[in-house]
Amino acid sequence: MLRSHHCGALSESDLNQEVTLAGWVQKVRNKGFIVWVDLRDRYGITQLVFDEKRTPEAVFKKSAELGREDVIQIKGTVIERESKNPNLPTGGIEILATELTLLNKAQTPPFTIENQTDGGDELRMQFRYLDLRRNPVRENLIHRHRVTMAVRNFLSQAGFIDVETPYLIKSTPEGARDFIVPSRMNNGQFYALPQSPQTFKQLLMVGGFDKYFQIVKCFRDEDLRADRQPEFTQIDCEMSFVEQEDVLSQFEALIKHLLSEIKGVELSEFPRITYAEAMEKYGNDKPDIRFGMIFGNLNEVAKGKGFNVFDSQELIVGIAVPGGANYTRKEIDNWIDWVKRPQVGAKGLVWVKCNQDGSYKSSVDKFFNQQDLGEWAKVTNAQAGDLIFVMAGDTLDTQAQLSALRMEVAQQMDLRNADEFAALWVTDFPLLEWDEETQRYHAMHHPFTAPKNEYLELLETNPEKVLANAYDLVLNGNEVGGGSIRIHDTQLQEKMFSLLGFSETEAKEQFGFLMDAFQYGAPPHGGIALGLDRLVALLGGSETIRDFIAFPKNNHGRDVMIDAPANVTDDQLEELYLKSLPKDPS
Amino acid sequence: MLRSHHCGALSESDLNQEVTLAGWVQKVRNKGFIVWVDLRDRYGITQLVFDEKRTPEAVFKKSAELGREDVIQIKGTVIERESKNPNLPTGGIEILATELTLLNKAQTPPFTIENQTDGGDELRMQFRYLDLRRNPVRENLIHRHRVTMAVRNFLSQAGFIDVETPYLIKSTPEGARDFIVPSRMNNGQFYALPQSPQTFKQLLMVGGFDKYFQIVKCFRDEDLRADRQPEFTQIDCEMSFVEQEDVLSQFEALIKHLLSEIKGVELSEFPRITYAEAMEKYGNDKPDIRFGMIFGNLNEVAKGKGFNVFDSQELIVGIAVPGGANYTRKEIDNWIDWVKRPQVGAKGLVWVKCNQDGSYKSSVDKFFNQQDLGEWAKVTNAQAGDLIFVMAGDTLDTQAQLSALRMEVAQQMDLRNADEFAALWVTDFPLLEWDEETQRYHAMHHPFTAPKNEYLELLETNPEKVLANAYDLVLNGNEVGGGSIRIHDTQLQEKMFSLLGFSETEAKEQFGFLMDAFQYGAPPHGGIALGLDRLVALLGGSETIRDFIAFPKNNHGRDVMIDAPANVTDDQLEELYLKSLPKDPS
């Protein structure tokens, strides 16, 4: 071992000990006759002192030449510091150095290795190995390690078995786009990387494993929206002989355990709302419930008053911004501009100030009298001093737009506190959604999700009305997990594939093994998958998953540090019986 | 929950309880007036009884129609069994059924779901989900789960941080063949799946992580020898500021912990032998030391005695088979035939019987007298009653052939007891090996392995003489892990790449990021990777890794259950700017 102690270990109880330390030079302060060096490693910082009088001459001379990030080993004696630093565990001592070995000379790094660095995002990604030396980055990843260990131990103790499922599987067109892997031994054929181990975990249930979990990499070849990665990590779970309630209570317990273990936060029972209720109250199926501004439906009280803009609309809906009556006209105009941005896409915003004296002032005073506006205040639960924002239009668009406004207002009012946690379950999702473009149904969750028993008959007549045994776990306005009770019956699964537009041949070709498996005694089963990257980020007080991934890719799916993807040799392609085509110039 | 208890839970302390159970029908015994059903799940078997007199008529009737592997749910009362089965935890009770729900009717499975099944390998792989229902298969995978949990908790407690490294990386021609993944967003470019996270774990050390581990899938597109998988799992570790001794003692502690935790076996300090010694004593760098038959070098005592077959050979070497003097002439001839098989490739075998009376009888009595043969016995440590087998030829070939013989003799003599464990470290591997075919050096471990300091000068003059800071962990004659102290100096790494035949441009293109990283203060570091599949199998008392993988692939890299790899659509290939070429008819 090149050290007797690490750099966070020594304190006043170690005085006069002879020690050997190794680490990186964080800082050098050279006073001419004395040189102080901050030596850093993963565990902390220890101050070294090289003293003209007390340090051997050659060593002292060498110490003056040290530069930032040099890797050194020193021997010396633990002595008491003259001016102690109470903020540092090692702040009471320093090491009077007697030997100094330069283990590796460092070039000056392209950015400072400090909590607040001067390096931009791109530079930090290119030199990620240097970025990893910064405390906040390292702490994020140690936090990730703690979370995964807590998850594994919790699930293992709850009887779940960690089973590794294969990475080289088969491409299926349902869902997102697969990454594919040419097979050399099976010319012209390809493996696919899993988008999730869905079918394998269901087969494990057919195989009698009863409770399965895995923390597993999944892959989706999608155009990357902000903060999405082509490879991501999932806490994947499945249980047999369960109903929805069993899955919910098991994983509610897991999330509570994590919050308690990692954050010291004790949550009480998670609220549950249906998808329909979530859309109605928050315009969003992953509502942030740390704050109010619950949607009020104004259809009944705002239509038929001669305001044409409203009368023809499917939905008129508003929220009450607490204390918003103080907004200046300019501030309100800024919000109107904000909702008109193409990212939000609203046509405009009607507003009503609820004055302290009980009167109302609105942008539509011409059409609505005080009593009308009082009704609006009632429906949106607005108090004196609040500001009501109202939008109107098609239901889905308007809900999405007002939800965006609600989140942004909360953000600006600091209502989205990263240290406060609010989780909920959203249940009763529709089984299918109609896709206008392809003129067919898509599975809202995935094709293996079971419809609720009481809706089975509607599958024939009104498939879009069928609700599913599907549920999402929402934390602080982020979907951190989703799951369902699965179909375990061959006929129902066949019916489902046919609703989704699969021909019998296609269904058999792609999922024949699963439908075969169901014929040999599949138990009722269900499960959930939690997005580990997102969960770790939220528990770490952030919504940026990239900060919690050691070697993330950029928005073009590139690793700029190792410069991947890259060209391969012609020999490699030939062996795979592949040819690269020139890029279409169009 | 569809059950109140699982099928291994109930005993005589639960008498008269009303319970709900669910599971698979293992066996039905229908006596006409009474039907017994063995109900099975992951946790055990519980006997159900349907009695003409005591069970509702409709339920009784349904019970008579149950078939193997049907999935059912029953309600009933725990009653005492008349004839108890002391071998079963639930053997004192049975459930008098009052309700029966058929959850899923099963087709008759293609093989029996018993510990000893009538299903052949291929059938069992095709219906792996049914094979997984058999106790031995499920227990192997639960054993794997226990091993991985023990590894994770041990390493985490020892300060190692679990860091996920990326799966979509860059292809590098060094080492085995990569699986590659076409990138849609970067046309004409490819990711590669990692053969190991080697460079990333070294970058984590440069990033100051100090101690890293990961249980991670790795990929090699190699022609599959028996019991190799294209995707396999590695316990991957790296440590900073360490010397070889530190890595060895840390991972010796891990293996001891696993043996103690999983098998209840306490091992004392692992022997360490050099590569040279291993080859000399066992003809093999992964010797099984659970038994003797250590090689005796006969060069000095067997040359120059007029036996031409020996005189011209590089190596004459023998082993003493305990008790082998009793072998009949036919048995000895069988061994001679065995070593002549092409898989072994020896030309023949000289033998010497060490008779109980102290005399010797050999196949070369014409050339060697009793005193000569006495010398052979001394060198091979043969006792009265033993049989000495002797081979001669080129050193490497002869060592390999005699090692194969030694292992096979031990196998047939039942000296390779799966419940006995012997681990050792093999150290001081050569850094490089000369490849005649490509006329260049290959890295014996990998290009990042550090030469021993005392050999640095030989790198220029006699590279093949240089020993490396590399080590293998051997358990019961299997290499279960290997590692090394790494190069952490840019110049030495460049030197190494040049010895391995990389041009400066090639080295920069492929490993530029690593050499850049070394310039910013890389700490001395080293690590190890353990093959999890192999380790789990050995701890499970087997050498067949396939039995410890949930969904293994066959020797052609195929998953016969899901039928992968498979064709993909033309659209998929087009999007990737790829074209499949017809297979060369040659």
Side-chain angles (χ1 to χ4, degrees):
Chain A
M1 190 69 86
L2 300 180
R3 63 194 174 198
S4 62
H5 298 78
H6 57 63
C7 294
L10 296 166
S11 68
E12 276 142 304
S13 61
D14 303 296
L15 289 181
N16 303 318
Q17 261 197 65
E18 297 296 312
V19 298
T20 308
L21 298 186
W24 286 265
V25 171
Q26 174 78 19
K27 204 158 65 181
V28 180
R29 276 168 303 149
N30 189 339
K31 297 273 178 194
F33 58 95
I34 195 159
V35 177
W36 280 289
V37 172
D38 278 355
L39 189 67
R40 187 197 71 231
D41 67 11
R42 169 180 142 196
Y43 309 93
I45 283 180
T46 298
Q47 180 166 298
L48 315 177
V49 55
F50 300 83
D51 181 336
E52 199 175 28
K53 288 191 192 127
R54 293 178 290 169
T55 303
E57 193 182 336
V59 175
F60 179 74
K61 235 173 124 184
K62 261 205 288 189
S63 76
E65 288 157 16
L66 290 176
R68 269 205 296 138
E69 301 305 314
D70 284 350
V71 183
I72 62 170
Q73 182 193 41
I74 65 105
K75 287 186 202 282
T77 313
V78 183
I79 58 174
E80 202 163 359
R81 268 207 224 179
E82 276 183 36
S83 59
K84 301 192 178 183
N85 180 346
N87 300 320
L88 215 62
T90 62
I93 57 102
E94 59 192 4
I95 314 297
L96 179 62
T98 52
E99 289 181 36
L100 168 61
T101 309
L102 183 65
L103 296 172
N104 220 343
K105 182 72 194 162
Q107 285 185 21
T108 308
F111 50 85
T112 56
I113 311 297
E114 305 277 357
N115 292 2
Q116 298 293 333
T117 179
D118 56 358
D121 244 28
E122 213 163 312
L123 200 63
R124 286 170 42 224
M125 283 303 144
Q126 190 189 339
F127 294 90
R128 183 65 166 172
Y129 46 86
L130 297 179
D131 199 31
L132 289 170
R133 285 187 194 162
R134 299 193 308 115
N135 287 332
V137 181
R138 190 181 58 243
E139 274 158 21
N140 282 348
L141 290 165
I142 292 178
H143 162 75
R144 184 181 181 113
H145 164 70
R146 289 181 60 214
V147 173
T148 58
M149 286 302 297
V151 169
R152 290 179 192 284
N153 282 309
F154 179 91
L155 291 175
S156 181
Q157 273 154 39
F160 288 79
I161 306 172
D162 180 1
V163 181
E164 292 179 56
T165 53
Y167 278 79
L168 296 173
I169 64 167
K170 191 160 79 167
S171 187
T172 56
E174 181 62 23
R177 199 185 286 105
D178 283 324
F179 281 104
I180 61 173
V181 182
S183 164
R184 180 181 53 86
M185 287 205 277
N186 304 272
N187 284 157
Q189 299 197 318
F190 294 78
Y191 301 100
L193 300 178
Q195 295 182 30
S196 95
Q198 182 63 31
T199 49
F200 289 96
K201 69 177 174 177
Q202 292 193 242
L203 292 174
L204 285 172
M205 295 304 105
V206 175
F209 271 62
D210 207 75
K211 290 179 178 179
Y212 142 91
F213 86 100
Q214 190 183 189
I215 297 186
V216 61
K217 271 279 173 79
C218 300
F219 304 85
R220 277 182 206 172
D221 186 11
E222 291 298 308
D223 297 324
L224 299 171
R225 285 183 278 158
D227 217 29
R228 287 259 179 149
Q229 292 281 315
E231 51 176 305
F232 55 97
T233 308
Q234 201 162 285
I235 306 171
D236 195 51
C237 304
E238 198 78 4
M239 305 166 79
S240 286
F241 300 113
V242 291
E243 293 162 313
Q244 175 169 313
E245 185 54 40
D246 304 308
V247 182
L248 265 48
S249 71
Q250 178 69 76
F251 288 90
E252 183 162 327
L254 170 65
I255 298 295
K256 281 182 183 167
H257 172 77
L258 293 178
L259 275 161
S260 169
E261 189 91 334
I262 306 287
K263 304 298 291 184
V265 170
E266 307 297 331
L267 285 198
S268 50
E269 205 178 327
F270 296 0
R272 296 181 189 186
I273 65 175
T274 64
Y275 171 80
E277 195 184 347
M279 294 307 289
E280 209 178 290
K281 285 191 168 171
Y282 302 98
N284 193 318
D285 62 0
K286 44 178 199 282
D288 191 336
I289 58 169
R290 285 174 297 181
F291 53 91
M293 295 193 268
I294 290 170
F295 284 20
N297 183 317
L298 302 175
N299 279 8
E300 297 226 339
V301 296
K303 278 192 183 178
K305 304 280 175 174
F307 185 49
N308 285 336
V309 179
F310 279 2
D311 287 351
S312 58
Q313 300 301 348
E314 201 179 6
L315 178 68
I316 310 163
V317 62
I319 54 171
V321 178
N326 295 327
Y327 285 7
T328 62
R329 185 57 209 243
K330 183 150 185 290
E331 284 172 316
I332 291 177
D333 283 345
N334 283 344
W335 281 116
I336 294 171
D337 290 344
W338 190 88
V339 299
K340 285 181 170 172
R341 296 170 352 139
Q343 297 94 319
V344 181
K347 297 224 176 65
L349 205 50
V350 165
W351 55 266
V352 183
K353 283 188 175 182
C354 306
N355 296 323
Q356 293 293 355
D357 64 6
S359 70
Y360 301 99
K361 166 81 192 121
S362 83
S363 58
V364 286
D365 281 349
K366 268 190 230 162
F367 305 96
F368 300 93
N369 61 28
Q370 291 289 309
Q371 197 188 333
D372 293 335
L373 298 176
E375 292 291 331
W376 295 21
K378 218 179 279 170
V379 172
T380 58
N381 201 23
Q383 311 299 316
D386 290 356
L387 174 73
I388 305 171
F389 278 141
V390 178
M391 285 178 170
D394 292 344
T395 300
L396 284 176
D397 289 346
T398 310
Q399 283 173 335
Q401 290 154 6
L402 190 62
S403 171
L405 176 65
R406 175 178 177 269
M407 292 296 273
E408 183 62 21
V409 168
Q411 190 71 44
Q412 295 207 11
M413 291 176 74
D414 279 333
L415 298 175
R416 305 198 65 210
N417 174 3
D419 290 328
E420 190 188 333
F421 293 90
L424 77 156
W425 292 104
V426 180
T427 64
D428 294 14
F429 282 84
L431 184 69
L432 302 162
E433 50 187 351
W434 180 255
D435 185 50
E436 278 299 331
E437 200 184 314
T438 56
Q439 284 289 305
R440 63 178 189 88
Y441 288 110
H442 280 279
M444 190 130 171
H445 188 52
H446 57 49
F448 314 108
T449 298
K452 284 180 176 290
N453 276 331
E454 56 271 36
Y455 288 85
L456 274 178
E457 280 174 19
L458 282 181
L459 263 187
E460 300 290 345
T461 54
N462 263 321
E464 70 282 0
K465 290 252 165 74
V466 175
L467 296 187
N469 276 321
Y471 32 83
D472 274 0
L473 177 64
V474 176
L475 182 61
N476 292 2
N478 291 273
E479 181 201 326
V480 293
S484 62
I485 298 300
R486 326 297 184 186
I487 297 169
H488 64 277
D489 174 84
T490 314
Q491 267 139 41
L492 184 54
Q493 188 65 66
E494 275 169 0
K495 170 89 210 153
M496 187 70 184
F497 282 133
S498 115
L499 275 172
L500 295 171
F502 283 75
S503 75
E504 226 171 285
T505 319
E506 283 169 343
K508 185 145 188 63
E509 211 173 272
Q510 287 162 35
F511 297 109
F513 60 97
L514 188 68
M515 290 193 290
D516 285 351
F518 285 174
Q519 308 220 14
Y520 291 103
H525 60 286
I528 197 167
L530 306 171
L532 179 69
D533 304 301
R534 177 77 50 201
L535 180 62
V536 163
L538 288 172
L539 292 175
S542 165
E543 294 195 354
T544 310
I545 65 171
R546 213 168 281 195
D547 294 347
F548 294 80
I549 295 172
F551 300 101
K553 294 192 171 53
N554 73 9
N555 279 350
H556 302 285
R558 293 199 72 81
D559 180 328
V560 296
M561 179 187 69
I562 64 169
D563 196 24
N567 297 321
V568 295
T569 64
D570 291 342
D571 287 355
Q572 278 176 289
L573 286 184
E574 234 164 74
E575 249 187 336
L576 298 166
Y577 289 86
L578 282 179
K579 199 181 153 181
S580 258
L581 298 176
K583 190 166 175 174
D584 187 349
S586 69
Chain B
M1 189 71 82
L2 301 181
R3 63 192 174 200
S4 62
H5 297 78
H6 57 63
C7 293
L10 296 166
S11 68
E12 276 143 304
S13 61
D14 302 298
L15 289 181
N16 302 319
Q17 260 197 67
E18 297 296 313
V19 298
T20 308
L21 298 186
W24 286 264
V25 171
Q26 173 79 22
K27 205 159 62 182
V28 181
R29 275 169 302 150
N30 189 337
K31 296 274 177 194
F33 57 96
I34 195 160
V35 176
W36 280 289
V37 171
D38 278 355
L39 188 67
R40 186 196 71 231
D41 68 8
R42 169 180 141 198
Y43 309 94
I45 283 182
T46 298
Q47 182 167 298
L48 315 178
V49 55
F50 300 83
D51 183 335
E52 202 176 23
K53 290 191 192 126
R54 292 178 290 170
T55 303
E57 193 184 337
V59 174
F60 180 73
K61 233 173 124 186
K62 259 205 291 188
S63 76
E65 288 155 17
L66 290 176
R68 270 206 293 137
E69 301 305 315
D70 284 350
V71 184
I72 61 171
Q73 182 192 41
I74 64 107
K75 286 186 206 283
T77 314
V78 184
I79 59 174
E80 202 164 357
R81 269 208 223 179
E82 276 184 37
S83 60
K84 302 193 177 180
N85 179 348
N87 300 320
L88 215 61
T90 63
I93 58 104
E94 57 192 5
I95 314 296
L96 179 63
T98 51
E99 289 180 35
L100 167 61
T101 310
L102 183 64
L103 296 173
N104 221 342
K105 182 72 194 160
Q107 286 186 19
T108 307
F111 51 84
T112 56
I113 311 297
E114 304 278 356
N115 291 2
Q116 298 295 332
T117 179
D118 57 358
D121 244 29
E122 214 163 311
L123 200 63
R124 286 169 42 223
M125 283 302 143
Q126 192 191 336
F127 295 90
R128 182 65 166 171
Y129 46 84
L130 296 179
D131 200 32
L132 289 171
R133 286 189 194 160
R134 299 193 308 114
N135 287 332
V137 181
R138 190 181 59 244
E139 273 158 21
N140 281 349
L141 289 165
I142 293 178
H143 161 76
R144 185 181 179 113
H145 163 71
R146 289 181 61 214
V147 173
T148 58
M149 286 303 297
V151 169
R152 290 180 193 284
N153 282 309
F154 179 91
L155 290 175
S156 182
Q157 273 154 37
F160 287 79
I161 306 171
D162 181 0
V163 181
E164 291 178 59
T165 53
Y167 277 79
L168 296 172
I169 65 168
K170 192 160 79 166
S171 186
T172 55
E174 180 62 25
R177 200 186 286 103
D178 284 323
F179 281 104
I180 61 173
V181 182
S183 165
R184 182 181 52 88
M185 287 206 276
N186 304 270
N187 283 159
Q189 298 196 320
F190 294 79
Y191 301 100
L193 299 178
Q195 295 183 28
S196 96
Q198 182 63 32
T199 49
F200 289 96
K201 68 177 175 177
Q202 292 194 243
L203 292 174
L204 285 172
M205 294 303 106
V206 175
F209 271 61
D210 208 71
K211 290 179 179 179
Y212 143 91
F213 87 100
Q214 191 183 188
I215 296 186
V216 62
K217 272 280 174 78
C218 301
F219 304 85
R220 279 184 204 169
D221 185 11
E222 291 298 311
D223 297 323
L224 298 172
R225 284 184 280 157
D227 216 30
R228 288 259 178 147
Q229 292 280 317
E231 50 176 304
F232 56 96
T233 308
Q234 199 162 286
I235 306 171
D236 195 51
C237 303
E238 198 76 5
M239 306 167 77
S240 286
F241 300 114
V242 291
E243 292 160 315
Q244 174 170 313
E245 185 54 39
D246 304 308
V247 182
L248 264 49
S249 70
Q250 178 69 75
F251 289 90
E252 183 163 327
L254 170 65
I255 298 295
K256 281 182 183 167
H257 172 76
L258 293 178
L259 275 161
S260 169
E261 189 92 336
I262 306 288
K263 304 299 289 184
V265 169
E266 307 296 331
L267 286 197
S268 50
E269 204 177 328
F270 296 0
R272 297 183 188 183
I273 65 174
T274 64
Y275 171 80
E277 196 184 345
M279 294 307 289
E280 209 179 289
K281 286 190 169 171
Y282 301 97
N284 194 319
D285 62 0
K286 42 179 199 286
D288 191 334
I289 58 169
R290 286 175 296 181
F291 52 91
M293 295 192 267
I294 290 171
F295 285 18
N297 184 316
L298 302 175
N299 279 9
E300 296 225 341
V301 297
K303 279 193 183 178
K305 303 280 176 174
F307 184 49
N308 283 337
V309 179
F310 279 1
D311 287 351
S312 59
Q313 301 301 346
E314 204 178 2
L315 178 68
I316 310 162
V317 62
I319 55 171
V321 178
N326 294 327
Y327 284 9
T328 62
R329 186 55 210 247
K330 184 150 184 286
E331 285 173 315
I332 292 177
D333 283 346
N334 282 345
W335 282 116
I336 294 171
D337 289 345
W338 191 87
V339 300
K340 284 179 169 172
R341 297 171 350 140
Q343 297 94 320
V344 182
K347 296 223 180 64
L349 205 49
V350 166
W351 56 265
V352 184
K353 283 189 176 180
C354 307
N355 295 322
Q356 293 292 358
D357 64 4
S359 69
Y360 301 99
K361 166 80 192 126
S362 82
S363 58
V364 288
D365 281 349
K366 266 189 232 167
F367 305 96
F368 301 94
N369 61 28
Q370 292 287 311
Q371 195 188 337
D372 291 337
L373 298 175
E375 293 291 329
W376 294 20
K378 216 178 281 170
V379 171
T380 58
N381 201 25
Q383 311 298 316
D386 290 356
L387 175 73
I388 306 172
F389 278 140
V390 177
M391 285 180 169
D394 291 345
T395 301
L396 284 176
D397 290 344
T398 309
Q399 284 172 335
Q401 290 154 6
L402 190 61
S403 170
L405 177 65
R406 175 178 176 269
M407 294 295 274
E408 184 61 22
V409 168
Q411 190 71 43
Q412 297 208 7
M413 292 176 73
D414 279 334
L415 299 175
R416 305 197 66 208
N417 174 3
D419 289 328
E420 190 189 334
F421 292 91
L424 77 156
W425 291 103
V426 180
T427 63
D428 294 19
F429 281 83
L431 182 69
L432 302 163
E433 48 188 352
W434 180 254
D435 185 50
E436 278 299 329
E437 199 183 316
T438 56
Q439 285 288 307
R440 64 180 188 85
Y441 288 110
H442 280 278
M444 190 133 175
H445 189 52
H446 57 49
F448 313 108
T449 298
K452 285 181 175 290
N453 275 332
E454 56 270 38
Y455 288 84
L456 275 179
E457 279 174 17
L458 282 181
L459 264 187
E460 300 291 345
T461 53
N462 262 319
E464 71 282 359
K465 289 255 164 72
V466 174
L467 296 187
N469 276 320
Y471 33 82
D472 274 1
L473 177 65
V474 176
L475 182 62
N476 292 2
N478 291 274
E479 182 199 326
V480 292
S484 62
I485 298 300
R486 325 299 183 185
I487 297 168
H488 64 276
D489 174 83
T490 314
Q491 266 139 40
L492 184 54
Q493 189 65 66
E494 277 169 358
K495 170 86 209 158
M496 188 68 184
F497 282 133
S498 116
L499 274 172
L500 293 172
F502 284 74
S503 75
E504 226 170 286
T505 320
E506 284 168 342
K508 188 149 185 60
E509 213 173 271
Q510 289 162 34
F511 297 108
F513 61 95
L514 188 68
M515 291 195 286
D516 283 353
F518 285 174
Q519 307 220 13
Y520 290 102
H525 61 287
I528 196 166
L530 305 172
L532 179 69
D533 305 300
R534 177 77 50 200
L535 180 62
V536 163
L538 288 171
L539 292 175
S542 165
E543 293 195 354
T544 311
I545 64 171
R546 214 170 279 194
D547 294 344
F548 295 80
I549 295 172
F551 300 101
K553 292 190 171 56
N554 73 9
N555 279 350
H556 302 285
R558 293 199 71 82
D559 181 327
V560 294
M561 178 187 68
I562 63 168
D563 194 25
N567 297 320
V568 295
T569 64
D570 290 343
D571 286 358
Q572 277 176 290
L573 286 184
E574 231 164 74
E575 251 188 335
L576 298 166
Y577 289 85
L578 281 180
K579 202 180 146 183
S580 259
L581 298 177
K583 191 167 174 175
D584 187 347
S586 68

